Amino acid sequence: MNYPFWDEPMGYGVLMAVIAVFHVFVSHFAIGGGLYLVVSEQLARKAGDTRRLKFLEDLSKFFVLVTLVAGAVTGVGIWFVIGLLSPTATEALIHNYVWGWATEWTFFVVEIAAAMIYFYGWKTMAPRAHIIVGWIYFVAAWMSLLIINGIITFMLTPGQWLATGDFWDGFFNPTFWPSLVLRTGVCVMLAGLYALLVASRCEAGEFKARTVRYSAGWGIAGLAVTAVCQYWYWKAIPAAVTAKALQSMPTPILSVEVSIWLAAGIGALLVIFGLLAPRKFGFGAAAMLMALGLAWFGAFEWFRESIRKPYIITGYIYANGVEVAHADRYKKEGCLAQMAYKTGDDGADLFRHACRSCHTLDGYKALKPAFDGADRAFINAIVSATHQLRGNMPPFPGTAAEADKIADYLSHHTDRRSLAEICKLQGVELGWKAYEIRCGKCHVIGAASDKSKSFAGQSADDLNNMLNTAADLGEGMPAYTGDATERKALVAFLQTLGKGGTK
Ligand code: HEC
Ligand code: HEC
């Protein structure tokens, strides 16, 4: 590590998810809400609709509070978390896009100033000037999205930048346009959802019904743009990445499926309660829409983050912060030699550098239960072969001696009694547990590297022989080092697997 660290127990991934999802939910509303306010104000002024102008004034108060306070605080929060999660990648983003960030911050300052003037100007400003300020707000906010969108999409699909290192190649990368239009759709959708939340508190009657219907229209229009762009976005990701995801990455695929269902739920609620029965639109439906919207955004961002594995910037920096260009040097000279900041406990430092950006010992993606009952030789083999495991992890960035130091560190934190003693199981049940610990990390039953068919028709002796030569079966596959009880149970379980059972 080249920076001090903070071992918070939650796992950086969880911290990031909580803060980032909340932030995008607020910041996209900050853009769409600005558009909603100024467009609706123009319509209301043209129609001389004072009731609606009053509603918009109320909405703008809620809007300023939510976007300026919650948006700005969580935005700064993201910088803190990415600094913890991956200082190297944060540094790379700052260095490559320093003018991008400077431009973005300039737009942000304009956005904040315009929002304040717009809010305080309802009573004091001439209508025309007020509307102009509203448009300045929206354009500045959308421009800041445009810039951040270039940098965020760069992390997933850096495209030609990898070869040229050119700012514009990285900025206008293959997913830039689909993501920009998609996020603009999201802004419009969220403007509708937030306005519905405020409208749900209005007194029942004609005004409420037409405001609900109008806002639901924004929600549906935004959702339609988003749905089309999600497909366009998927198609813009290099085919090799999406093909690999379909074959062996359950997380991004699951998150796409979840996001489709959530979008369908949002669409259904908008049509039923927003368009067909706007008079019945209550706080419950509005809150449900907000919850679905937040969950949808979570699923989408989860997809974007997880399909990038094992990289944090595709093809450039691995998720553990090792630059791809330096990976060979790490392997040769060792990981410790590359660390400017060390605590003196090599095992712990190596664990922090190689694994801690994604795993904790016993919190989020805990490694302790993955190794309970396993011996140090086995742990060592797994540490050295992380790129072979499920999870699309980066290759281990260090020497064999360093892998052993991590194994030593991990084995001191795991339960070193025998597996049978720990889980109090026997027979096939114990064998299933042994499979989970010793084989299932690479051969997931029912997934890409399932070996169940190889066990069909094998006798116990055949299987024992296979285990004797385990280390020769594949690159990175560990030797079998479990005790006799566990081995017998595992063989029994492999036989049931060969017969098509899973337990
Ligand atoms: C880029 C993030 C990342 C890094 C860095 C990383 N892992 Fe993983 N690891 C994962 C993911 C994702 C999974 C799949 C976990 C899941 O399905 O819940 C996983 C799974 C595992 C598993 C299987 C878990 C189980 O329950 O059997 C082990 C063991 C493991 N990792 C060890 C390590 C070790 C040791 C290191 C450091 C040398 C490391 N990982 C570095 C992301 C990472
Ligand atoms: C670190 C990852 C890893 C672990 C853990 C692992 N294997 Fe493998 N295994 C591999 C790789 C890599 C190959 C070779 C490529 C392939 O066939 O998929 C392989 C090949 C095999 C094969 C031969 C392939 C065939 O089709 O006949 C069998 C059988 C097998 N493993 C069984 C097991 C069993 C049983 C365990 C648990 C005791 C286990 N493996 C644990 C990575 C692993």
Side-chain angles (χ1 to χ4, degrees):
M1 294 151 291
N2 293 321
Y3 298 91
F5 54 85
W6 175 40
D7 279 337
E8 54 73 44
M10 205 194 285
Y12 305 129
V14 179
L15 254 184
M16 182 68 187
V18 171
I19 296 181
V21 171
F22 184 64
H23 177 74
V24 293
F25 193 62
V26 170
S27 61
H28 285 65
F29 165 58
I31 302 161
L35 184 66
Y36 181 100
L37 281 169
V38 69
V39 168
S40 310
E41 182 188 349
Q42 253 173 320
L43 293 174
R45 290 213 188 266
K46 207 178 274 171
D49 187 342
T50 45
R51 177 67 188 88
R52 189 158 191 198
L53 287 171
K54 176 77 183 65
F55 171 79
L56 293 172
E57 192 179 337
D58 289 348
L59 180 65
S60 71
K61 182 172 189 179
F62 169 76
F63 173 77
V64 163
L65 277 178
V66 170
T67 60
L68 298 196
V69 181
V73 169
T74 50
V76 174
I78 288 187
W79 282 99
F80 276 100
V81 184
I82 63 172
L84 276 173
L85 181 81
S86 185
T88 328
T90 308
E91 194 185 318
L93 289 183
I94 292 175
H95 280 166
N96 284 307
Y97 289 104
V98 78
W99 290 110
W101 294 116
T103 316
E104 194 272 326
W105 281 320
T106 309
F107 279 119
F108 184 63
V109 171
V110 173
E111 177 187 333
I112 297 271
M116 306 256 214
I117 297 171
Y118 186 81
F119 172 62
Y120 288 108
W122 275 105
K123 295 214 166 51
T124 51
M125 288 172 81
R128 202 178 119 78
H130 193 243
I131 287 173
I132 291 176
V133 171
W135 279 108
I136 292 177
Y137 171 86
F138 168 68
V139 172
W142 189 79
M143 284 305 291
S144 77
L145 170 71
L146 181 134
I147 293 167
I148 296 190
N149 179 65
I151 300 174
I152 286 177
T153 51
F154 156 82
M155 294 174 75
L156 171 60
T157 51
Q160 288 302 314
W161 178 89
L162 288 173
T164 63
D166 183 78
F167 179 99
W168 298 110
D169 282 343
F171 193 81
F172 290 112
N173 63 76
T175 50
F176 178 87
W177 292 109
S179 168
L180 183 66
V181 185
L182 184 147
R183 287 180 186 275
T184 304
V186 173
C187 294
V188 172
M189 173 175 91
L190 291 185
L193 300 195
Y194 277 78
L196 281 170
L197 186 70
V198 174
S200 75
R201 312 288 288 166
C202 288
E203 211 176 296
E206 188 273 334
F207 176 75
K208 177 172 177 176
R210 77 184 151 93
T211 307
V212 165
R213 198 174 284 138
Y214 172 77
S215 307
W218 279 71
I220 291 167
L223 184 65
V225 172
T226 306
V228 174
C229 289
Q230 204 172 0
Y231 181 72
W232 179 20
Y233 181 74
W234 168 267
K235 284 288 172 198
I237 299 172
V241 176
T242 45
K244 183 172 139 211
L246 285 169
Q247 196 198 9
S248 66
M249 296 170 78
T251 312
I253 302 305
L254 176 69
S255 53
V256 170
E257 285 166 6
V258 169
S259 75
I260 292 173
W261 283 108
L262 289 167
I266 296 173
L269 280 183
L270 283 172
V271 170
I272 296 170
F273 290 104
L275 294 188
L276 301 179
R279 281 174 195 279
K280 296 224 174 68
F281 192 85
F283 185 70
M288 177 94 99
L289 273 168
M290 291 295 270
L292 286 176
L294 185 68
W296 178 87
F297 226 147
F300 175 72
E301 297 289 339
W302 186 33
F303 164 77
R304 192 177 56 74
E305 296 276 330
S306 59
I307 198 164
R308 217 166 46 199
K309 284 206 183 100
Y311 301 103
I312 190 149
I313 299 176
T314 305
Y316 183 56
I317 299 182
Y318 285 116
N320 53 13
V322 174
E323 289 100 326
V324 176
H326 299 165
D328 284 345
R329 194 169 83 208
Y330 271 75
K331 277 265 172 239
K332 218 178 314 138
E333 298 171 9
C335 194
L336 285 167
Q338 321 298 326
M339 290 186 200
Y341 193 93
K342 279 179 273 205
T343 62
D345 181 346
D346 286 354
D349 282 347
L350 285 163
F351 173 72
R352 286 189 188 104
H353 198 356
C355 320
R356 184 68 173 84
S357 53
C358 305
H359 293 284
T360 61
L361 274 177
D362 45 19
Y364 179 67
K365 284 205 200 307
L367 285 186
K368 180 183 175 306
F371 291 123
D372 275 345
D375 54 284
R376 176 162 160 184
F378 172 78
I379 301 177
N380 184 333
I382 293 292
V383 170
S384 315
T386 43
H387 59 292
Q388 302 277 10
L389 269 63
R390 68 184 166 91
N392 292 292
M393 282 177 267
F396 173 68
T399 60
E402 289 177 336
D404 197 49
K405 282 189 178 171
I406 297 191
D408 186 48
Y409 172 77
L410 288 172
S411 81
H412 272 95
H413 286 88
T414 48
D415 195 333
R416 277 175 288 173
R417 290 174 299 162
S418 77
L419 193 60
E421 233 179 302
I422 298 170
C423 59
K424 305 201 168 34
L425 294 172
Q426 48 186 331
V428 174
E429 293 276 315
L430 174 63
W432 168 66
K433 200 69 201 155
Y435 185 90
E436 287 286 289
I437 298 278
R438 290 188 184 265
C439 317
K441 291 175 168 53
C442 298
H443 306 305
V444 183
I445 299 170
S449 185
D450 189 353
K451 295 289 170 214
S452 305
K453 289 207 177 70
S454 324
F455 308 129
Q458 303 256 23
S459 69
D461 280 349
D462 295 336
L463 290 169
N464 268 307
N465 284 335
M466 186 268 294
L467 291 179
N468 290 340
T469 59
D472 304 327
L473 290 179
E475 189 213 325
M477 179 157 151
Y480 187 77
T481 45
D483 65 22
T485 319
E486 193 194 300
R487 176 189 268 252
K488 198 163 160 231
L490 176 62
V491 165
F493 175 71
L494 294 179
Q495 285 184 305
T496 62
L497 258 191
K499 289 187 192 121
T502 53
K503 227 182 192 191

